[in-house]
Amino acid sequence: MSFDAIPLAGDKPAQYEQLLAQARGLLHGERDRVANAANLSALVYHALPSLNWVGFYFYDGTELVVGPFQGLPACVRIPLDKGVCGAAASTRQTQRVADVHAFPGHIACDSASRSELVVPLVHAGELVGVFDLDSPEPDRFDAEDQRGLEAIAAAFVESLQ
């Protein structure tokens, strides 16, 4: 199968609608979470500006373990009581952090990261992991980014069914 990313156009909500359509196209008919996480990481990393890391951490029953991603090498294991990813996993609420250096317990896997958005992945009431995006720009993510990325994360979770 060949895939050609279509450049995003219009305002931010329209761009996220287009990105979600591309994500659903990549996920269609595939149930393997590693394959889907790898493709979504690449799609989002190349589609959105000002990102230095996009990827997945999967919950192994004890902690988060790095999965497919785009960016520099990452922390391999994250306890649920540490960092932005741990907060998203333990609260099951999206974490949108304008300044990661001001976040209690932040884990600096990439010293260039300044802001972060982490969406928890929950399937059938169980924690699957988190979808994590980092930016070298402070306050990179706004409410529209959060809504758009939560929709993409939801499409990933739907692909697991």
Side-chain angles (χ1 to χ4, degrees), residues 90-143:
S90 62
T91 65
R92 296 185 183 190
Q93 295 181 343
T94 298
Q95 303 292 307
R96 190 174 79 227
V97 180
D99 178 3
V100 294
H101 300 295
F103 190 89
H106 170 66
I107 302 168
C109 296
D110 181 346
S111 61
S113 294
R114 299 288 309 279
S115 59
E116 188 168 5
L117 188 135
V118 182
V119 181
L121 305 169
V122 179
H123 179 257
E126 298 296 320
L127 179 67
V128 174
V130 299
F131 181 41
D132 181 20
L133 298 94
D134 290 13
S135 173
E137 292 182 4
D139 205 17
R140 158 65 181 85
F141 305 101
D142 62 18

Side-chain angles (χ1 to χ4, degrees), residues 8 13 46 53 57 77 84-85 90 99 102 106 119 159:
L8 305 178
H46 290 286
W53 202 90
Y57 279 88
R77 297 180 179 275
V84 182
C85 288
S90 62
D99 178 3
H106 170 66
V119 181
S159 77

Side-chain angles (χ1 to χ4, degrees), residues 6 8 21 52 55 71 74 81 88-89 105 112 122 142 161:
I6 300 165
L8 305 178
N52 62 319
D81 63 348
V122 179
D142 62 18
Q161 300 177 20

Side-chain angles (χ1 to χ4, degrees), residues 45-106:
Y45 184 81
H46 290 286
L48 298 180
S50 303
L51 300 176
N52 62 319
W53 202 90
V54 175
F56 290 78
Y57 279 88
F58 293 125
Y59 183 56
D60 71 355
T62 304
E63 60 193 348
L64 297 171
V65 180
V66 72
F69 68 90
Q70 297 281 307
L72 292 177
C75 300
V76 175
R77 297 180 179 275
I78 299 177
L80 296 189
D81 63 348
K82 299 284 188 216
V84 182
C85 288
S90 62
T91 65
R92 296 185 183 190
Q93 295 181 343
T94 298
Q95 303 292 307
R96 190 174 79 227
V97 180
D99 178 3
V100 294
H101 300 295
F103 190 89
H106 170 66

